[in-house]
Amino acid sequence: AKYIPQIPNALIQELSGVGETVLDIFCGSGTTLVEALLLKRQAIGVDANPLAVLISTAKTTPLAPEEIQLL
């Protein structure tokens, strides 16, 4: 299920520290992974659905400034 980013954000802040790793074993669309990265955590996502993995990868892969300019 999709949920608002404030939920994983609050839980990540409460349950982990900067630099620690957050594991999301049902990463879906990557909301938890994005919030973990924004909060300076390492993020690992796993999902049985290949489409979910693709979406999460697209949302969490940083682009170089040249790549952004090209887009």
Side-chain angles (χ1 to χ4, degrees):
K2 293 192 66 128
Y3 46 85
I4 60 173
Q6 291 85 348
I7 294 171
N9 185 297
L11 291 170
I12 291 166
Q13 288 187 68
E14 183 68 28
L15 300 173
S16 69
V18 172
E20 292 186 336
T21 301
V22 173
L23 171 63
D24 185 356
I25 59 169
F26 301 105
C27 65
S29 65
T31 303
T32 299
L33 303 176
V34 170
E35 291 304 307
L37 293 171
L38 290 172
L39 293 168
K40 308 291 188 231
R41 274 64 165 181
Q42 301 295 317
I44 300 172
V46 179
D47 204 296
N49 183 339
L51 181 57
V53 173
L54 177 65
I55 293 168
S56 294
T57 301
K59 288 174 70 173
T60 58
T61 300
L63 296 174
E66 312 79 60
E67 295 171 315
I68 295 171
Q69 188 78 16
L70 181 63
L71 291 173

